[in-house]
Amino acid sequence: MASTSSRSTAVAEANPAQAEAAGAAAAATITVRVARFDPEKDKALRWQEFSVPTAPGMTVLDALVSIKEHQDGSLAFRSSCRMGVCGSCGMYVNGKPRLACQTQVGELGQVIEVAPLPNHDVIKDLVPDLSRTFEHHRAIKPYIIRDDEAEMASPTREFRQTPEEMERYLQFAYCLKCSLCVAACPTAATDPLFLGPQALAQAYRYTADTRDCGWQERFDVIATDHGIFNCHLAGACSEACPKGVDPALGIQLMKRTLVKGPAHRAPAPIVEEPKSVIDESKRPQAPPPTV
Amino acid sequence: MRETRLWQLHLFSALALIVLLSLHMGVQHYEKILTGLGLVGENVRDFASVAGRAGSAWWNVLYVLLLGFALYHGLYGTRRILHEVWYSRRATRVIDTLVVVFGLAVFIYGLWGILQATRMGGAL
Amino acid sequence: MASRLETQAPQAPQAHPARPQRLPNRLGLKGWVYAGRYPVERYLYILHRVAGLGLVLYLPLHVWVTSSRLQGPEVWARTMAALSSPLFRFGEFLVLAAFVFHALNGIRLLLGHLGFTLGRPAEPVYPYPIALRRQRPLTVVLMMVAAVSIAVGLWEIVVR
């Protein structure tokens, strides 16, 4: 607190007009309506309003932290990295599933409504139960499957894969498992058994990987009732995804693969043994350290 | 793999319906324009016109295909939707049974109608 | 290690308090119809569904009504006369509109499901590439064709 005030004094001395603007921005407050659910008392979500002073660059997660710090310590929410990498802080903010840490308060207007992710059970307040998403993700075997068990058990070298081959799945490999796509999916709105955009897109991510040959095993999991054919290309998942993974594209390409078979039938081989070793003896040596 | 086959048939029937049902709907609903282009005579819903089509092998083939594809396509879609709402094992079995029974009943009734009409068209 | 374990008094299995109730939070059927500010395809999805269900309900009725041709010209004429009231005319228009929309949107879905009009995976660099936006021109063209066809159909039904 002391450091903040001293910094603003310094700014005031340097440029009074700028300091005034900063002061006005700091004084501005927004209303945050937060959905609360106490599993020991409540039967439904109830809404609670907080008035939160804003600062430039403030995110919804910052606002929630501020509420927890200064107004109501009992507020529960999940967060970790606060930079859009861990996927913990998925919430339903102003009618759209978003990562709280990547959503600026400034883009949302005066009243911000924060609710737990829909299509997931609520554990407490803003904490959704993601276990079903993780179960579905595990079900599609999200790992490289190969025939050469000896190589998998004790790898000798890398598998051969060109950059073009990597581009076929790289976009889908950015998935955070934050489950925002499941919260946006209309099929998941009624059907809890539906594998969901997250798992289905990951099924494509591994099937399109040239190092993998487990497509048949994955077909058995996804080409089922409540599987891939319950995707009707509404596209909400891709709009909700905070990392540009585009699950809708992955799922449709997976359907294409179901009809046509995968682009590669045999898994990529390991790279050849190196034929020669670079002679390091003639390389110029770094000068000895002077200090 | 069974679900894949059913889905592929759903897509195939969609393709077939786009062609066949466009023909059927075009003749029934864009009468003025088609007459203007000189493609069909007027009053497709007069009994003579209906009976005329019933006597034509081509139209009867079209009607049987339309009935079959439309029933399959529609009931597959309905089944998908119902499975998304009632997803218990029991409900799934009940829905599947109802859909098959309903589909077969309507198909047989419609087929019977088309065959009867053929005879009628021949008599006229 | 072992001794430390032994010195600890074996704890009596505690009776766990019942796990607190989770709150089911699925959007349900409401979530099919409206879920927020999503792009047009999200709403074409629900229209497609409604139109499809409407057509499925209409099909058996249609088979049943047209079977009246088997009973000869008089019955057929009477049936057609009964169906010429404005209410049935409007119903007929709805069936046509549902078919035209379902068929044209279906072309888009068919191509999309088979991965023809969605493009290839791309590096997710902001602003993120979204496949359905690459399909958007096709969507717009098909919906314009649908609107014109439905308008012509309305005109045909009104002037008849």
Side-chain angles (χ1 to χ4, degrees):
Chain A
M1 223 40 214
S3 70
T4 321
S5 60
S6 71
R7 201 190 308 144
S8 57
T9 336
V11 171
E13 278 161 17
N15 185 347
Q18 209 179 336
E20 207 172 290
T29 58
I30 46 157
T31 307
V32 184
R33 294 187 75 216
V34 185
R36 303 295 304 267
F37 171 71
D38 182 344
E40 277 163 14
K41 279 186 275 176
D42 295 335
K43 290 271 171 276
L45 293 178
R46 63 193 161 79
W47 292 90
Q48 197 177 351
E49 285 194 7
F50 298 96
S51 183
V52 181
T54 59
M58 190 183 206
T59 64
V60 172
L61 182 60
D62 293 336
L64 293 175
V65 170
S66 158
I67 291 170
K68 193 174 172 74
E69 215 168 344
H70 302 296
Q71 303 189 43
D72 188 343
S74 71
L75 179 65
F77 55 90
R78 246 195 228 118
S79 76
S80 177
C81 76
R82 48 137 188 70
M83 52 193 240
V85 175
C86 72
S88 306
C89 62
M91 290 167 199
Y92 202 53
V93 182
N94 280 15
K96 214 174 168 186
R98 314 181 210 233
L99 291 184
C101 69
Q102 276 197 322
T103 309
Q104 298 265 319
V105 162
E107 65 186 273
L108 295 172
Q110 267 307 300
V111 181
I112 300 177
E113 266 191 17
V114 189
L117 278 186
N119 304 345
H120 298 78
D121 291 351
V122 184
I123 297 175
K124 192 181 179 215
D125 294 345
L126 300 173
V127 182
D129 184 357
L130 300 184
S131 49
R132 212 183 270 274
T133 302
F134 298 151
E135 263 166 44
H136 290 158
H137 184 233
R138 266 193 293 272
I140 58 98
K141 302 175 194 283
Y143 39 81
I144 300 285
I145 300 171
R146 290 179 69 93
D147 317 336
D148 44 3
E149 272 166 41
E151 179 65 28
M152 290 302 277
S154 50
T156 51
R157 284 187 298 279
E158 307 94 317
F159 298 119
R160 176 180 292 284
Q161 187 169 66
T162 63
E164 291 75 32
E165 286 169 341
M166 190 175 76
E167 266 179 21
R168 288 185 209 160
Y169 69 82
L170 184 64
Q171 179 174 21
F172 311 112
Y174 284 88
C175 176
L176 302 178
K177 290 93 189 163
C178 62
S179 216
L180 295 196
C181 51
V182 178
C185 176
T187 303
T190 50
D191 186 356
L193 305 181
F194 178 46
L195 284 174
Q198 191 277 328
L200 291 170
Q202 290 311 297
Y204 184 70
R205 179 253 172 271
Y206 287 96
T207 304
D209 194 321
T210 51
R211 296 166 295 181
D212 177 274
C213 65
W215 45 279
Q216 195 56 60
E217 284 182 44
R218 279 189 208 101
F219 285 2
D220 293 344
V221 180
I222 62 167
T224 51
D225 210 8
H226 309 288
I228 195 160
F229 306 124
N230 288 73
C231 165
H232 309 288
L233 198 42
C237 51
S238 300
E239 290 290 329
C241 181
K243 298 309 262 185
V245 169
D246 206 346
L249 174 64
I251 298 170
Q252 309 326 308
L253 292 177
M254 191 71 206
K255 285 179 189 161
R256 187 194 180 91
T257 311
L258 271 171
V259 177
K260 286 183 61 178
H264 67 284
R265 295 296 170 127
I270 55 173
V271 297
E272 296 93 21
E273 212 169 334
K275 292 202 178 66
S276 63
V277 180
I278 297 165
D279 184 6
E280 298 273 330
S281 63
K282 291 197 184 93
R283 183 177 280 187
Q285 297 294 306
T290 51
V291 188
Chain B
M1 273 305 60
R2 183 170 148 265
E3 286 292 331
T4 313
R5 294 274 168 274
L6 293 178
W7 175 72
Q8 279 176 296
L9 192 52
H10 183 65
L11 293 198
F12 179 75
S13 61
L15 204 63
L17 282 174
I18 286 171
V19 179
L20 302 177
L21 204 52
S22 296
L23 209 64
H24 178 62
M25 287 288 207
V27 166
Q28 295 293 332
H29 291 285
Y30 296 105
E31 211 179 310
K32 286 256 183 312
I33 286 187
L34 292 181
T35 314
L37 293 171
L39 291 175
V40 284
E42 258 191 280
N43 300 330
V44 282
R45 290 170 199 205
D46 282 356
F47 188 75
S49 171
V50 170
R53 285 200 296 276
S56 142
W58 284 113
W59 277 106
N60 283 322
V61 170
L62 175 80
Y63 285 144
V64 173
L65 287 179
L66 261 182
L67 183 67
F69 280 133
L71 272 174
Y72 178 80
H73 186 85
L75 290 175
Y76 177 89
T78 310
R79 167 178 175 265
R80 273 266 154 272
I81 293 174
L82 294 178
H83 280 193
E84 284 171 16
V85 185
W86 293 285
Y87 41 78
S88 77
R89 248 167 220 281
R90 210 180 113 87
T92 304
R93 263 203 308 274
V94 171
I95 290 166
D96 286 355
T97 314
L98 282 181
V99 159
V100 170
V101 168
F102 181 78
L104 281 179
V106 176
F107 184 72
I108 290 167
Y109 177 68
L111 193 66
W112 173 80
I114 291 167
L115 292 177
Q116 288 293 108
T118 321
R119 228 173 285 159
M120 176 188 75
L124 270 169
Chain C
M1 198 67 196
S3 64
R4 232 175 78 193
L5 276 179
E6 276 158 33
T7 50
Q8 268 179 353
Q11 289 205 331
Q14 256 184 337
H16 276 287
R19 200 180 77 162
Q21 201 53 51
R22 303 272 155 106
L23 179 71
N25 192 28
R26 282 186 190 279
L27 290 171
L29 289 178
K30 242 179 27 238
W32 287 6
V33 181
Y34 183 78
R37 289 175 59 183
Y38 287 113
V40 59
E41 288 84 2
R42 173 66 179 73
Y43 295 98
L44 292 181
Y45 150 86
I46 189 65
L47 269 182
H48 196 79
R49 198 156 259 217
V50 170
L53 281 176
L55 290 170
V56 169
L57 289 179
Y58 172 72
L59 179 61
L61 284 178
H62 181 59
V63 172
W64 176 60
V65 167
T66 50
S67 303
S68 72
R69 68 191 184 283
L70 299 176
Q71 288 158 286
E74 293 81 29
V75 181
W76 177 257
R78 232 181 300 138
T79 314
M80 286 298 113
L83 294 183
S84 62
S85 74
L87 187 69
F88 281 108
R89 280 277 181 83
F90 182 67
E92 210 181 300
F93 167 69
L94 285 186
V95 169
L96 174 71
F99 163 69
V100 169
F101 168 76
H102 197 87
L104 289 167
N105 193 45
I107 292 175
R108 176 181 76 82
L109 291 175
L110 194 68
L111 292 171
H113 283 316
L114 297 174
F116 285 115
T117 46
L118 296 176
R120 292 154 166 274
E123 180 81 11
V125 182
Y126 203 79
Y128 295 136
I130 290 180
L132 276 174
R133 292 189 194 156
R134 295 197 280 270
Q135 203 202 35
R136 191 68 50 78
L138 175 71
T139 313
V140 172
V141 168
L142 286 171
M143 287 306 108
M144 277 172 9
V145 174
V148 170
S149 313
I150 290 171
V152 172
L154 183 64
W155 172 75
E156 288 261 2
I157 284 175
V158 168
V159 296
R160 191 190 294 151

